[in-house]
Amino acid sequence: MSLRDFLLLWLLGAVWGASFLFIKVAVIPFGPVALMGFRLILAMLALLPVLIMSRDRRRLWRHRWDFLFMGLFNLAVPHTLLAFASLRIEAGFTSLLNSTTPLFAAAVAVVWLKRPVGLLKILGIAAGMAGIAVLFGDRLRFGSGGEGLSILAALGAALCYGMSSNFHSRKMADIPPVEATGASLVWAALLMAPFTVASWPAVSPPPMAWVMASALAILCTSLAVILYLGIMNR
C-alpha cells in the first residue's frame, strides 16, 4: 500500500468513525429510516451533477444492475441497520461491531466467490468469529430492553458491507469511484424515498440533528464512499 492510500485509509476511518456519533445524536429525533433516507437522498443530490456530466453514460447504464446491488447492500440496508442498532447500543459499541466487516468480507470471498483459502486464513476467520462470540455473547439478550436485535442488526450491516466489497472488486473495479458512488446513491435514494416519506417525524428535529444528518450525507457518505471505492480500485 502506498503512503497516499495509507493516509486516505486513515482519513476514511476517521470519517466513518465519526458517523457513529452523528447517528447517535440524530437517530432519535429523526427515527432510523427517515434519518438514513435523508442521508442517502442528500448524498445523491450532492453527486448528481457528476453523473449528469459523465462522458461515458453508456458504461454507467451497462452497470445499472450492479449499481442497484451496491445501492442496496452497500448503502440502504446496512445504513438503516446501523441506525436501528444505534437506538439501543452506544456509538462505540456499534463501531466495534461494524469493525467485523473484514471478517465477513473474507468469509464471503471464500463461500460466495470460491476464492482459494489456506489454513492460515481459515484459522484467522475462525479466531475472529470466536472473538465476536466472546465480546458480544453476554449482551445477546432478546427480552424486553435487551440488546440482541440491535447487535444482530449491526452484524448484519457488517455482513452487507462484506458482500458489497467483494461484489465491487469483481464487477466494478474499472469504474471511476465518483461515478460509481453517485450511481449507487441514485438507486439507494430511490429505494429509500417511499420509506422516508412514510416515516418522516411529525415534529421537526432540532437544528443539531439536522447538522448531524447533513454531515452524515456529505462527509460520511458522498466523500467517504468515494475514498473507499478509490482505495479498493487501487
Side-chain angles (χ1 to χ4, degrees), residues 95-223:
S95 176
L96 184 62
L97 288 163
N98 192 61
S99 70
T100 60
T101 294
L103 291 174
F104 286 110
V108 168
V110 173
V111 175
W112 183 24
L113 302 183
K114 308 299 182 184
R115 290 185 177 172
V117 56
L119 178 61
L120 190 61
K121 183 176 287 188
I122 293 175
L123 291 175
I125 295 173
M129 294 301 179
I132 293 174
V134 170
L135 287 173
F136 315 139
D138 63 336
R139 298 181 66 165
L140 278 174
R141 295 183 297 273
F142 295 93
S144 178
E147 300 172 332
L149 287 177
S150 296
I151 291 173
L152 290 182
L155 292 176
L159 174 60
C160 288
Y161 289 137
M163 291 171 54
S164 60
S165 64
N166 280 283
F167 184 85
H168 174 270
S169 64
R170 186 177 185 184
K171 296 277 191 176
M172 300 167 54
D174 62 327
I175 302 174
V178 178
E179 294 184 0
T181 302
S184 299
L185 279 167
V186 168
W187 276 114
L190 289 174
L191 290 168
M192 288 296 294
F195 302 102
T196 304
V197 172
S199 61
W200 196 255
V203 178
S204 180
M208 184 54 66
W210 284 103
V211 171
M212 296 294 101
S214 300
L216 277 170
I218 304 303
L219 295 178
C220 305
T221 308
S222 295
L223 174 62

Side-chain angles (χ1 to χ4, degrees), residues 16 29 36 41 45 70 73-74 77 81 118 137 160 162 166 177 183 186 205 209:
W16 268 344
M36 292 302 108
I41 292 169
L45 292 175
M70 292 294 289
F73 290 105
N74 194 51
V77 172
L81 288 174
C160 288
N166 280 283
V186 168

Side-chain angles (χ1 to χ4, degrees), residues 56-67 174-175:
D56 195 354
R57 295 179 189 174
R58 290 183 179 179
R59 177 174 60 181
L60 296 179
W61 179 250
R62 286 196 305 270
H63 285 274
R64 60 192 182 280
W65 304 122
D66 298 334
F67 295 134
D174 62 327
I175 302 174

